[in-house]
């Protein structure tokens, strides 16, 4: 297809709503998302912290790149400032397959002055993108290509290269990107396909792999559609590749998978690899449990899920809050729970009715009344040695209590920290023996009617509710960064930390809600 060109001329009627760089970014992530951004009901779109975290990372990268604060708009370009923000770019896309030119609009976050000649003077500009993650993606390349194309028209000078920046191990990572003819062709094709999708009367279908939907503001709307359709992505353990394999076998929904013959499906999928033969019966069993809406003990499960708690007088529940980009495990929260005078645990095991799992608020309420929460802040400037001593002191207060956690993060961190801090082999083995991964035990013993075995989904199925509505790990991380980098009054500082501590404590309580259910099943 011949390369289309952008133009500022007024020839040709333009569509009323332009194609923007934000729409392009959404479309490259998910075609359905772009359609919803243009046509979806705004009241159903939810704010999430991931975009705010990305903007926070972008700001920090740009501050490292530029020696001084960037200027704003066209006037800053005319003055030849080293960096410019707030310049909106316009253009048109013309292509043989289009009935009329497409209006384009972009708002690059930063332009950097470079050598050259433009209509503003003996200098030119190039677009800069701050990326998250360590890899340069198609999304990054095409966004920069669009910015470069429109900037070229605006400054009346070539934009042969753009710049990508990102956090490095010790300093800012800088990676130039050549805006090649191949990228220009890919951009043309993507914009035409985006325009065609936006003309559809209904949104494009749900994506195969919905793991990244957690980052999208339309998640709850699409979750409802997926549940109504019985989309295969609703079955825990099915991602994009497995869904494609199942579709190839004529299985297109949760109900169809639940009705499948496990042995026959195993043979059919074995042609794609032995691992698929092994997983096929598990997928059918999981689909059946979700279709029936009731938990099922795994046939091969042996013994109790949490035998270590049979004789324990108390437990510590451990949860870490982290900033993965900064490699900063900044909060180590412990909830201590112990049996009452009659030897009963807090929660459903204490005698509360659990006939209706969705109404079982008792795990959190009972634990809240009896549990002591110990939040240990781990500031990097204080060093690991100080953190290890604080953790060690807390653990030694209850040497015989098991330490429950959900997922492998906490055990891996604690054991590696102990080794780095010179703990002896006997101490490390004793610590390892106390650590119990509730998630692992749950998966070994039970199939649940949930589409994910993450803590939010499982504890939510049990009726647990986090006390701060709409808060997740990303929101907690945003609060932490604001606390670390912001100008704080004592009152505001306490308020921000209190919200972080509350979220971490709720995670501990949610872990106990799951553990208490496992105990109840063992005793039943």
């Amino acid at each position: 297809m011949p390369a289309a060109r952008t133009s500022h001329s007024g020839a040709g009627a333009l569509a009323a709503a332009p194609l923007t760089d934000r729409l392009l970014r959404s479309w490259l992530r998910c075609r359905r998302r772009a359609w919803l951004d243009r046509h979806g009901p705004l009241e159903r779109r939810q704010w999430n912290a991931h975009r705010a975290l990305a903007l926070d990372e972008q700001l920090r990268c740009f501050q490292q790149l530029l020696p001084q604060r960037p200027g704003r708009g066209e006037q800053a370009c005319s003055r030849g400032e080293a960096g410019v923000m707030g310049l909106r770019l316009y253009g048109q896309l013309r292509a043989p397959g289009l009935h009329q030119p497409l209006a384009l609009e972009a708002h690059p976050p930063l332009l950097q002055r470079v050598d050259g000649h433009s209509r503003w003077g003996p200098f030119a500009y190039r677009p800069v993108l701050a990326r998250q993650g360590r890899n340069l993606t198609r999304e990054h390349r095409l966004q920069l290509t669009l910015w470069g194309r429109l900037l070229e028209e605006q400054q009346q000078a070539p934009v042969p290269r753009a710049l990508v920046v990102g956090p490095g191990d010790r300093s800012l990572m800088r990676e130039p990107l050549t805006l090649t003819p191949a990228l220009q062709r890919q951009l043309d094709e993507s914009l035409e396909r985006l325009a065609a999708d936006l003309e559809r009367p209904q949104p494009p279908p749900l994506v195969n792999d919905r793991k990244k939907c957690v980052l999208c503001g339309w998640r709850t709307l699409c979750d409802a559609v997926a549940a109504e359709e019985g989309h295969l992505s609703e079955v825990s353990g099915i991602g994009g590749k497995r869904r494609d394999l199942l579709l190839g076998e004529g299985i297109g929904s949760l109900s169809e998978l639940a009705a499948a013959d496990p042995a026959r499906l195993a043979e059919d999928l074995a042609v794609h690899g032995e691992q698929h033969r092994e997983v096929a019966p598990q997928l059918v069993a999981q689909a059946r449990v979700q279709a029936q809406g009731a938990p099922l003990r795994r046939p091969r499960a042996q013994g109790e899920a949490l035998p270590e708690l049979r004789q324990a007088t108390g437990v510590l529940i451990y949860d870490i809050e982290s900033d993965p980009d900064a490699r900063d495990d900044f909060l180590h929260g412990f909830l201590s729970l112990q049996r009452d005078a009659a030897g009963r645990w807090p929660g459903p095991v204490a005698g509360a009715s659990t006939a209706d799992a969705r109404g079982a608020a008792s795990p959190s309420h009972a634990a809240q009344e009896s549990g002591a929460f110990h939040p240990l802040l781990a500031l990097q400037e204080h060093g690991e040695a100080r953190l290890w001593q604080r953790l060690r002191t807390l653990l030694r207060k209850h040497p015989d209590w098991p330490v429950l956690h959900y997922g492998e993060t906490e055990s891996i961190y604690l054991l590696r920290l102990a080794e780095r801090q010179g703990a002896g082999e006997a101490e490390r083995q004793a610590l390892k023996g106390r650590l119990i991964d509730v998630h692992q035990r749950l998966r070994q013993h039970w199939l649940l009617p949930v589409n994910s075995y993450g803590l939010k989904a499982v504890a939510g199925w049990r009726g647990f509710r986090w006390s701060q509505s709409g808060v997740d790990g990303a929101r907690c991380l945003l609060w932490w960064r604001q606390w670390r980098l912001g100008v704080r009054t004592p009152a505001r500082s306490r308020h921000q930390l209190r919200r972080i501590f509350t979220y971490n404590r709720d995670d501990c309580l949610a872990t106990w809600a799951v553990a208490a259910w496992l105990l109840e099943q063992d005793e039943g």
Side-chain angles (χ1 to χ4, degrees), residues 133-152:
R134 296 188 174 276
N135 297 318
L136 191 61
T137 65
R138 180 168 177 260
E139 173 191 320
H140 299 145
R141 291 186 177 94
L142 292 189
Q143 270 196 289
L144 285 164
T145 304
L146 175 60
W147 293 341
R149 179 184 293 186
L150 298 183
L151 177 60
E152 184 173 301

Side-chain angles (χ1 to χ4, degrees), residues 466-509:
W466 274 253
S467 61
Q468 299 176 112
S469 177
V471 176
D472 57 11
R475 179 77 67 95
C476 184
L477 174 55
L478 181 61
W479 288 339
W480 171 250
R481 289 184 177 177
Q482 290 171 343
W483 183 83
R484 285 288 279 170
L485 302 174
V487 178
R488 305 182 299 271
T489 64
R492 179 170 176 78
S493 176
R494 287 192 298 271
H495 176 66
Q496 288 176 320
L497 285 181
R498 191 180 300 115
R499 293 192 298 183
I500 296 170
F501 292 166
T502 298
Y503 176 74
N504 183 259
R505 183 171 184 262
D506 282 352
D507 276 354
C508 292
L509 289 167

Side-chain angles (χ1 to χ4, degrees), residues 20 28 32 34 55 70 124 128 182 231 240 265 291 301 320 329 341 356 367 386 406 419:
T20 67
L28 291 166
R32 183 183 182 90
L55 292 174
V128 182
H231 197 268
L265 181 61
I320 293 176
D329 299 297
D356 180 3
R386 177 172 173 177
Y406 200 91
E419 183 176 9

Side-chain angles (χ1 to χ4, degrees), residues 23-239:
L23 280 172
L24 176 63
R25 181 183 64 207
S26 291
W27 185 83
L28 291 166
R29 295 178 181 180
C30 169
R31 294 169 55 207
R32 183 183 182 90
R33 176 174 175 173
W35 191 96
L36 290 170
D37 284 350
R38 171 64 64 83
H39 304 293
L42 292 180
E43 68 275 8
R44 297 290 302 276
R45 185 173 187 172
Q46 295 184 326
W47 183 89
N48 65 64
H50 294 280
R51 176 62 177 162
L53 287 170
L55 292 174
D56 173 74
E57 189 67 55
Q58 173 181 283
L59 176 61
R60 285 194 281 177
C61 288
F62 289 170
Q63 287 174 338
Q64 293 181 62
L65 176 68
L66 295 174
Q68 67 271 343
R69 188 182 184 92
R72 295 193 65 84
E74 179 99 16
Q75 291 183 350
C77 293
S78 299
R79 293 193 298 268
E81 297 200 21
V84 176
M85 305 177 75
L87 182 66
R88 196 169 294 276
L89 305 174
Y90 301 93
Q92 295 179 17
L93 173 67
R94 297 176 179 277
L98 296 176
H99 298 298
Q100 59 184 9
L102 295 175
L104 302 177
E105 183 178 321
H107 189 189
L110 180 67
L111 303 178
Q112 183 188 34
R113 189 185 63 208
V114 293
D115 293 338
H117 289 81
S118 68
R119 71 181 181 89
W120 294 308
F123 52 83
Y125 286 93
R126 66 177 176 181
V128 182
L129 180 145
R131 61 157 175 74
Q132 290 187 300
R134 296 188 174 276
N135 297 318
L136 191 61
T137 65
R138 180 168 177 260
E139 173 191 320
H140 299 145
R141 291 186 177 94
L142 292 189
Q143 270 196 289
L144 285 164
T145 304
L146 175 60
W147 293 341
R149 179 184 293 186
L150 298 183
L151 177 60
E152 184 173 301
E153 295 287 336
Q154 181 84 346
Q155 71 177 4
Q156 298 175 16
V159 182
R161 283 174 294 278
L163 180 66
V164 180
V165 296
D169 292 333
R170 295 186 177 182
S171 60
L172 184 70
M173 186 285 305
R174 308 174 193 223
E175 181 180 352
L177 174 69
T178 301
L179 305 180
T180 63
L183 282 176
Q184 300 290 349
R185 289 192 295 271
Q186 290 179 39
L187 176 62
D188 293 336
E189 293 167 1
S190 297
L191 289 172
E192 290 186 53
R193 292 174 60 195
L194 166 60
D197 275 347
L198 294 179
E199 291 297 318
R200 297 167 61 116
Q202 298 295 326
L206 296 167
V207 295
N208 276 1
D209 190 346
R210 300 183 59 240
K211 292 179 181 178
K212 292 186 177 181
C213 293
V214 67
L215 306 177
C216 179
W218 298 107
R219 177 188 178 186
T220 55
L221 187 149
C222 292
D223 282 348
V225 173
E228 182 180 355
E229 293 179 355
H231 197 268
L232 282 173
S233 66
E234 284 292 285
V235 180
S236 178
I238 294 183

